[in-house]
Structures are given as structure tokens and as C-alpha cells.
Amino acid sequence: MLYENLRPLQQQAISMLRRDWKKYNTHLINASCGFGKTALASYLCQAFAAAGQKTLFVAPYVTLVDQTYTRFSQYGHNDLGVIWQNDVRTNPMASVQIASADTLIRRAFPDDVKVLIVDECDLKRKTILEIMKKPDLKTIGLTATPYAKWLGVHYQNFIKPVTTRELIEQGLLVPFEISAPYRPDLSGVKMKRNYDGEMDYAEDQIAAIMGEAKIAGNILQNWLVHGQNEPTIGFAPNVSTANAYAAEFRAAGVATEVVTADTPIEERKVIYARFAEGIVRVLWNVGVLGAGFDSDVRCIIWAKPTKSERTWVQGVLRGSRTAKGKTHCKLFDHSGTYYR
């Protein structure tokens, strides 16, 4: 990818990175979904490779390993290796490595890597934070949600080329039309530490509340009246509630699917393709669509109460990408999260 092919804002991010490159070992680039962080990372990897510096891009989820490999290849990379279990694309000699975070932390870090790029760097992994301390290693973190306080301990240089609001004003993202048809009573729900280490509502308790028949019916009826049959993704508290919501929609004649962390990758690809083609109108998910899902989404149903700003922003921004004929994204919050 040529520098001239980057958007002006991406070029600005690179200029800000260059300005302080020698001053700091760790840099965090904060940019919203739709900014083009993968394209930015692709350019940086090519630039480092041209300078003789081996680069490792670490993806937090297995699905993003494939997605990044495909995108990098489209951007002109011809010297790529993959670090993920026994993947056939393994090539330790390649100048750019794309690694699954879960695989990387279980192996010895390659000594010849000079630059580490951490996608979704706000997902805390202690092993990667230890790797970042290597004195001869430069690290670039990428995230749309830099809210965790610990990030300021491990990343020295904070780079924010543009805000989400500015991207909307410039037409690079679409605005939201938000309504909150229902606000559940969560006063008695306990707090627990979630997978990402944040304190959030106890999953079993919010699932019991959000799984009530009246809430499921309200979600369906609101969508039938106001969703206008737009391509929709839904966020549910757990697998049982996602399946219950999907059953309600199917009973009403709406083509609906569910994806969870346990859905095999190949099956997910088929479901995503059916969604992109319009065969599936509503796609409910549990912990899957918060990152790396780039389909044309014009309506979001939020039925997952959360106190995590990261979870909320990562999820709703799936609907912010522009598309032909798309002027806004509908956001139906049935959880009270918007008020929080």
C-alpha cells in the first residue's frame, strides 16, 4: 500500500507517530471503527519491512487472523507468515507475521521481531504486556476504546488523530438514531469481573431478567414496527437469551440466526455471507460481533445490560460504517445502557 493511497487522517496518524517514534518505545493509536486501522497497520508493516525491520501484528481473535491476512494480501503484501496453531501459512522467515494472541502467548516470542502491532490493545493480556518491555522492541497499540486506566501505564505515547464525532461530521461514519423502548430494573444485580477484567453485571442475573417473555416480546414488536426490516444485529447477555430472542423472531417469520464464541469459524462465515446477501435479516450474537464484523448493519438491538463503556462502544460502532444509501443507523436499547 502506497502512502498516497491512505486517507488524509491516516496520513496524519502516521505523521504523529513519526514525530515521537524515537522518543518512546510504546505508542497507542486511538481511532474509531471505520477509520481504517487495518489499512494503517498494513502500510506500517510494509514501511518497516522496507527498512529491514521484522513486524508482528497480533490479532485478539482467531477470525481476525484470517481477516487481517486477507486484507494485507489485498493491500499488496507478498511476504506474510501466520502464527496460529499449525496453520499451513506458517513462515518464520516472512518479514510480516500475523499472530493469534492466544497462540502467541503460549510460544517463545520471535527474537528477530523489531516492531509489535497489537490490535484491540485494550484487551489485557499480561504476557503481551511483558513482551512489550523488551528494550529493543517498539510497540504500536490500536484501539477504538482506550478507556482502561492500565493502558496509561504501558503505553507512553497517546495518538488520537480524530474523534468519532468528527468522522461522522466528515461523512466517514453515519450518525445514530437512538431510542430506548425499555429500561429494566437492575437495582439488585450483583457485579462480577468479566472476561476482560472489568467489573460488570453478573451474567446469570442479567440473563434471567432479560430472558423474561415480556422483554423478548417487546424487543420483537419494537423491531417489527420501527426496524423497517433493515439488516440488524442484536447483542444478548448469553447463549440461552440469544436463542430465545431468535426463536421469537423466527416465529414471526423473520429470518434470524445466532452466533456465539462456540460457533465454528466456517459456520460463522456461512452465516455472515447469508447476512451480507440479505437472506438473514437479524443476527443475534454473544461476545462475537464486537470487533472485526464489517457487514452493512443498519439497525442494532442492544439487549445486554452493561457498565462497560468498551463493550457498549465496540458493539454499537458496528453500525457506524457507511454504505450505499445508508444515512444513519437505528439503535434500539432495551437494556438501559444508553442512559448509563
Side-chain angles (χ1 to χ4, degrees), residues 66-132:
D66 273 339
Q67 183 174 307
T68 303
Y69 186 93
T70 299
R71 294 283 292 279
F72 275 25
S73 298
Q74 292 171 343
Y75 290 139
H77 284 277
N78 54 16
D79 190 24
L80 296 173
V82 170
I83 301 175
W84 172 31
Q85 297 183 356
N86 297 317
D87 195 280
V88 296
R89 296 165 296 184
T90 297
N91 179 7
M93 302 306 294
S95 61
V96 177
Q97 301 289 320
I98 300 172
S100 158
D102 289 335
T103 299
L104 182 66
I105 62 179
R106 288 170 172 78
R107 298 184 182 180
F109 189 78
D111 291 331
D112 54 350
V113 170
K114 299 303 179 185
V115 181
L116 176 67
I117 299 179
V118 185
D119 193 20
E120 307 290 350
C121 67
D122 54 304
L123 293 173
K124 192 173 186 178
R125 285 185 168 86
K126 292 182 179 180
T127 302
I128 292 178
L129 294 177
E130 287 299 316
I131 291 171
M132 288 167 51

Side-chain angles (χ1 to χ4, degrees), residues 179 181 216-234 248-250 252-256 275 280-284 298-301 330 332 334:
S179 62
N218 177 274
I219 290 171
L220 171 63
Q221 291 305 314
N222 181 77
W223 186 86
L224 290 174
V225 174
H226 302 291
Q228 298 178 332
N229 204 36
E230 296 281 21
T232 301
I233 60 173
E248 288 277 341
F249 277 75
R250 289 172 185 145
V254 182
T256 306
F275 180 83
V280 173
R281 300 309 294 173
V282 178
L283 180 57
W284 283 99
R298 306 200 178 198
C299 180
I300 292 176
I301 303 173
K330 294 176 180 291
F332 303 143
H334 295 262

Side-chain angles (χ1 to χ4, degrees), residues 29-301:
I29 299 177
N30 168 220
S32 174
C33 166
F35 175 81
K37 292 188 289 294
T38 304
L40 178 70
S42 173
Y43 169 81
L44 290 171
C45 287
Q46 288 182 329
F48 290 129
Q53 294 183 306
K54 190 169 184 175
T55 307
L56 191 153
F57 180 99
V58 54
Y61 308 115
V62 170
T63 52
L64 291 181
V65 172
D66 273 339
Q67 183 174 307
T68 303
Y69 186 93
T70 299
R71 294 283 292 279
F72 275 25
S73 298
Q74 292 171 343
Y75 290 139
H77 284 277
N78 54 16
D79 190 24
L80 296 173
V82 170
I83 301 175
W84 172 31
Q85 297 183 356
N86 297 317
D87 195 280
V88 296
R89 296 165 296 184
T90 297
N91 179 7
M93 302 306 294
S95 61
V96 177
Q97 301 289 320
I98 300 172
S100 158
D102 289 335
T103 299
L104 182 66
I105 62 179
R106 288 170 172 78
R107 298 184 182 180
F109 189 78
D111 291 331
D112 54 350
V113 170
K114 299 303 179 185
V115 181
L116 176 67
I117 299 179
V118 185
D119 193 20
E120 307 290 350
C121 67
D122 54 304
L123 293 173
K124 192 173 186 178
R125 285 185 168 86
K126 292 182 179 180
T127 302
I128 292 178
L129 294 177
E130 287 299 316
I131 291 171
M132 288 167 51
K133 295 178 182 178
K134 291 169 62 70
D136 58 341
L137 181 70
K138 294 279 190 176
T139 301
I140 302 169
L142 305 174
T143 181
T145 49
Y147 308 131
K149 293 181 179 179
W150 59 265
L151 286 167
V153 176
H154 299 280
Y155 287 91
Q156 302 161 303
N157 186 30
F158 183 75
I159 298 171
K160 188 179 182 71
V162 66
T163 66
T164 302
R165 182 178 296 277
E166 289 169 337
L167 289 172
I168 292 173
E169 291 172 348
Q170 294 178 33
L172 297 174
L173 297 179
V174 300
F176 288 90
E177 180 184 280
I178 304 172
S179 62
Y182 185 78
R183 190 175 184 180
D185 180 8
L186 305 176
S187 57
V189 178
K190 295 181 180 180
M191 303 292 291
K192 288 186 178 181
R193 199 168 296 281
N194 64 19
Y195 178 78
D196 299 325
E198 301 173 297
M199 293 303 293
D200 205 349
Y201 293 119
E203 180 185 291
D204 57 341
Q205 293 187 32
I206 61 169
I209 293 171
M210 299 305 295
E212 294 177 4
K214 65 177 182 180
I215 296 180
N218 177 274
I219 290 171
L220 171 63
Q221 291 305 314
N222 181 77
W223 186 86
L224 290 174
V225 174
H226 302 291
Q228 298 178 332
N229 204 36
E230 296 281 21
T232 301
I233 60 173
F235 291 81
N238 65 2
V239 176
S240 63
T241 51
N243 286 328
Y245 295 155
E248 288 277 341
F249 277 75
R250 289 172 185 145
V254 182
T256 306
E257 293 286 356
V258 175
V259 288
T260 73
D262 294 327
T263 306
I265 294 175
E266 292 305 317
E267 185 178 336
R268 290 188 209 178
K269 290 179 180 179
V270 173
I271 294 173
Y272 294 166
R274 287 166 56 82
F275 180 83
E277 293 168 6
I279 299 171
V280 173
R281 300 309 294 173
V282 178
L283 180 57
W284 283 99
N285 91 102
V286 181
V288 174
L289 302 184
F293 185 72
D294 300 334
S295 287
D296 182 2
V297 174
R298 306 200 178 198
C299 180
I300 292 176
I301 303 173

Side-chain angles (χ1 to χ4, degrees), residues 327-338:
T327 59
H328 65 279
C329 178
K330 294 176 180 291
L331 173 56
F332 303 143
D333 177 29
H334 295 262
S335 70
T337 304
Y338 174 69

